[in-house]
mmCIF file of all heavy atoms in Angstrom:
data_model
loop_
_atom_site.group_PDB
_atom_site.id
_atom_site.type_symbol
_atom_site.label_atom_id
_atom_site.label_comp_id
_atom_site.label_asym_id
_atom_site.label_seq_id
_atom_site.Cartn_x
_atom_site.Cartn_y
_atom_site.Cartn_z
ATOM 1 N N GLU A 139 43.085 119.025 89.471
ATOM 2 C CA GLU A 139 42.634 120.365 89.089
ATOM 3 C C GLU A 139 43.035 120.715 87.664
ATOM 4 O O GLU A 139 42.290 121.385 86.949
ATOM 5 C CB GLU A 139 43.207 121.408 90.048
ATOM 6 C CG GLU A 139 42.580 121.372 91.410
ATOM 7 C CD GLU A 139 43.238 122.340 92.395
ATOM 8 O OE1 GLU A 139 44.182 123.048 92.003
ATOM 9 O OE2 GLU A 139 42.806 122.374 93.550
ATOM 10 N N THR A 140 44.191 120.265 87.225
ATOM 11 C CA THR A 140 44.677 120.684 85.909
ATOM 12 C C THR A 140 44.237 119.767 84.776
ATOM 13 O O THR A 140 44.009 120.212 83.670
ATOM 14 C CB THR A 140 46.207 120.776 85.887
ATOM 15 O OG1 THR A 140 46.749 119.518 86.253
ATOM 16 C CG2 THR A 140 46.684 121.865 86.790
ATOM 17 N N ARG A 141 44.095 118.500 85.015
ATOM 18 C CA ARG A 141 43.860 117.591 83.911
ATOM 19 C C ARG A 141 42.496 116.926 83.934
ATOM 20 O O ARG A 141 41.994 116.539 82.882
ATOM 21 C CB ARG A 141 44.921 116.509 83.912
ATOM 22 C CG ARG A 141 46.281 117.118 83.678
ATOM 23 C CD ARG A 141 47.165 116.168 83.054
ATOM 24 N NE ARG A 141 48.456 116.811 82.831
ATOM 25 C CZ ARG A 141 49.515 116.184 82.520
ATOM 26 N NH1 ARG A 141 49.489 114.882 82.409
ATOM 27 N NH2 ARG A 141 50.628 116.823 82.311
ATOM 28 N N LEU A 142 41.934 116.724 85.070
ATOM 29 C CA LEU A 142 40.709 115.940 85.116
ATOM 30 C C LEU A 142 39.439 116.778 85.168
ATOM 31 O O LEU A 142 38.357 116.274 84.898
ATOM 32 C CB LEU A 142 40.749 114.974 86.295
ATOM 33 C CG LEU A 142 41.885 113.943 86.261
ATOM 34 C CD1 LEU A 142 41.836 113.074 87.506
ATOM 35 C CD2 LEU A 142 41.776 113.075 85.018
ATOM 36 N N LEU A 143 39.551 118.010 85.528
ATOM 37 C CA LEU A 143 38.346 118.853 85.566
ATOM 38 C C LEU A 143 38.026 119.335 84.126
ATOM 39 O O LEU A 143 38.950 119.684 83.377
ATOM 40 C CB LEU A 143 38.556 120.051 86.467
ATOM 41 C CG LEU A 143 38.560 119.754 87.959
ATOM 42 C CD1 LEU A 143 38.813 121.034 88.732
ATOM 43 C CD2 LEU A 143 37.249 119.137 88.404
ATOM 44 N N PRO A 144 36.763 119.363 83.764
ATOM 45 C CA PRO A 144 36.437 119.837 82.400
ATOM 46 C C PRO A 144 36.787 121.308 82.258
ATOM 47 O O PRO A 144 36.548 122.122 83.147
ATOM 48 C CB PRO A 144 34.937 119.622 82.276
ATOM 49 C CG PRO A 144 34.442 119.152 83.592
ATOM 50 C CD PRO A 144 35.611 118.932 84.475
ATOM 51 N N ALA A 145 37.390 121.645 81.167
ATOM 52 C CA ALA A 145 37.793 123.035 80.905
ATOM 53 C C ALA A 145 36.586 123.920 80.607
ATOM 54 O O ALA A 145 36.625 125.130 80.759
ATOM 55 C CB ALA A 145 38.780 123.073 79.741
ATOM 56 N N SER A 146 35.455 123.316 80.172
ATOM 57 C CA SER A 146 34.290 124.082 79.820
ATOM 58 C C SER A 146 33.511 124.575 81.053
ATOM 59 O O SER A 146 32.716 125.485 80.959
ATOM 60 C CB SER A 146 33.363 123.266 78.928
ATOM 61 O OG SER A 146 32.926 122.129 79.641
ATOM 62 N N ASP A 147 33.730 123.964 82.234
ATOM 63 C CA ASP A 147 32.982 124.345 83.441
ATOM 64 C C ASP A 147 33.799 125.367 84.233
ATOM 65 O O ASP A 147 34.699 125.022 84.959
ATOM 66 C CB ASP A 147 32.685 123.109 84.281
ATOM 67 C CG ASP A 147 31.722 123.415 85.432
ATOM 68 O OD1 ASP A 147 31.206 124.549 85.464
ATOM 69 O OD2 ASP A 147 31.502 122.524 86.269
ATOM 70 N N PRO A 148 33.476 126.646 84.085
ATOM 71 C CA PRO A 148 34.247 127.672 84.774
ATOM 72 C C PRO A 148 33.970 127.727 86.265
ATOM 73 O O PRO A 148 34.698 128.333 87.022
ATOM 74 C CB PRO A 148 33.812 128.977 84.113
ATOM 75 C CG PRO A 148 32.490 128.697 83.523
ATOM 76 C CD PRO A 148 32.428 127.213 83.253
ATOM 77 N N ARG A 149 32.887 127.125 86.710
ATOM 78 C CA ARG A 149 32.543 127.193 88.139
ATOM 79 C C ARG A 149 33.391 126.260 88.979
ATOM 80 O O ARG A 149 33.430 126.399 90.187
ATOM 81 C CB ARG A 149 31.074 126.871 88.323
ATOM 82 C CG ARG A 149 30.178 127.949 87.745
ATOM 83 C CD ARG A 149 28.758 127.569 87.890
ATOM 84 N NE ARG A 149 28.463 126.640 86.781
ATOM 85 C CZ ARG A 149 27.350 125.999 86.623
ATOM 86 N NH1 ARG A 149 26.397 126.105 87.499
ATOM 87 N NH2 ARG A 149 27.137 125.205 85.610
#
Side-chain angles (χ1 to χ4, degrees):
E139 288 175 1
T140 57
R141 297 208 179 167
L142 299 178
L143 287 179
S146 62
D147 189 7
R149 292 177 279 174

